[in-house]
Amino acid sequence: MGGEEYMAQADKKLKSFGWFSGDQKFEDAAELYTKAANQFKNNKQWDQAANAFCRSAECHAKLGSKHETATDYISAGTCYSKTNVNVNCITNAVQLYVDEGRFSIAAKHQKEIGEMYEKANEIEKAVEAFQKAADFYDGENTTSAANGCLLKVAEMSAKLSNYERAIGIYEEVGKKSLDNNLTKWSVKDYLFRGMLCRLCTTDLVSSKKAIDRYKDLDVSFPSSRECKFLEQILAAVENYDKEAFTQAVVDYDSISKLDQWKTTMLLRIKNGIASAEDEDLA
């Protein structure tokens, strides 16, 4: 039997009347909608499958079965994600999990919403979704997962030129990571990223103070390649020396390959040198 036939049977079941139909018709309809959804999935008819799962969710909601309702919504959202960005179903599930006090699983699916928005390049929505996921994880004291979401917030906030938000997160996560043997080795990278964001603001006074604070914060930072590179480009920015800046970047990249995010930030800093020089000449 195909998905359409199961859907028709489920619709018919919901329209039935009788003294003993009550909850049973919703249970039977939910089962039929789920069978329809699986048939649609098998045929890669993703939107139809999602719709069938949503219908099943509605039946389970009538029965007061929050877990089953949430599960159906997650399945629907997964199907929708195959063809477009539709987070409504997963958002419904997250709210149900929150109502039940199941914040860890709510956080997991809230993070999925962030990933869906990021994939669709809807960065502002992704930022807020990851922030919400981080808050859920933090409430459950799941520090590592919370930090992972916060770092996504910082990365994308910087892309949106919200440097202060990014700086705050990189410094916060860096401080939290110092006392953990598994994460302390990542601290220099967080400080490095935070400093690149500071240099994007063209506030050299703040940048100089920050790099001194970072040296005091992490004893291994002053001798790191990251710190030495940051001092080189800071001096180049201060002296409006684009050639020295470019050479420092080339030298660093030849040993420690720069990723796309860092390359983007460095390009913004370099462009800021020209802007600042033009202002001084005006």
Side-chain angles (χ1 to χ4, degrees), residues 128-144:
E128 297 315 312
F130 278 115
Q131 180 65 62
K132 196 170 184 179
D135 293 340
F136 287 151
Y137 278 127
D138 190 53
E140 294 294 284
N141 293 319
T142 314
T143 304
S144 178

Side-chain angles (χ1 to χ4, degrees), residues 202 204 237 240 270-282:
T202 68
L204 294 181
V237 171
Y240 306 123
K270 183 178 180 180
N271 290 338
I273 295 176
S275 298
E277 187 175 20
D278 291 342
E279 287 177 9
D280 278 3
L281 292 173

Side-chain angles (χ1 to χ4, degrees), residues 158-268:
K159 287 182 180 179
L160 294 171
S161 300
N162 190 347
Y163 300 118
E164 292 303 324
R165 185 175 188 177
I167 291 166
I169 291 172
Y170 283 130
E171 292 186 356
E172 175 190 353
V173 174
K175 290 174 184 177
K176 287 181 180 178
S177 301
L178 278 171
D179 297 327
N180 187 316
N181 288 331
L182 296 176
T183 59
K184 66 181 182 181
W185 307 110
S186 299
V187 172
K188 64 181 180 181
D189 184 61
Y190 303 150
L191 299 181
F192 183 36
R193 289 170 177 268
M195 192 63 187
L196 291 181
C197 291
R198 284 192 178 277
L199 287 169
C200 283
T201 68
T202 68
D203 185 345
L204 294 181
V205 174
S206 174
S207 297
K208 288 179 179 179
K209 290 180 179 178
I211 202 166
D212 288 337
R213 283 194 293 104
Y214 293 172
K215 288 178 180 178
D216 292 336
L217 182 66
D218 180 6
V219 293
S220 68
F221 189 65
S223 61
S224 68
R225 292 197 69 251
E226 288 81 1
C227 182
K228 293 174 182 177
F229 172 60
L230 289 170
E231 289 177 326
Q232 286 179 319
I233 62 173
L234 179 59
V237 171
E238 191 171 19
N239 294 321
Y240 306 123
D241 192 338
K242 286 193 286 185
E243 289 186 7
F245 183 94
T246 300
Q247 189 59 53
V249 171
V250 170
D251 291 344
Y252 182 86
D253 185 59
S254 66
I255 299 174
S256 301
K257 196 66 180 175
L258 293 162
D259 61 29
Q260 185 177 4
W261 183 90
K262 290 173 183 173
T263 301
T264 298
M265 295 302 115
L266 286 164
L267 182 58
R268 290 183 185 180

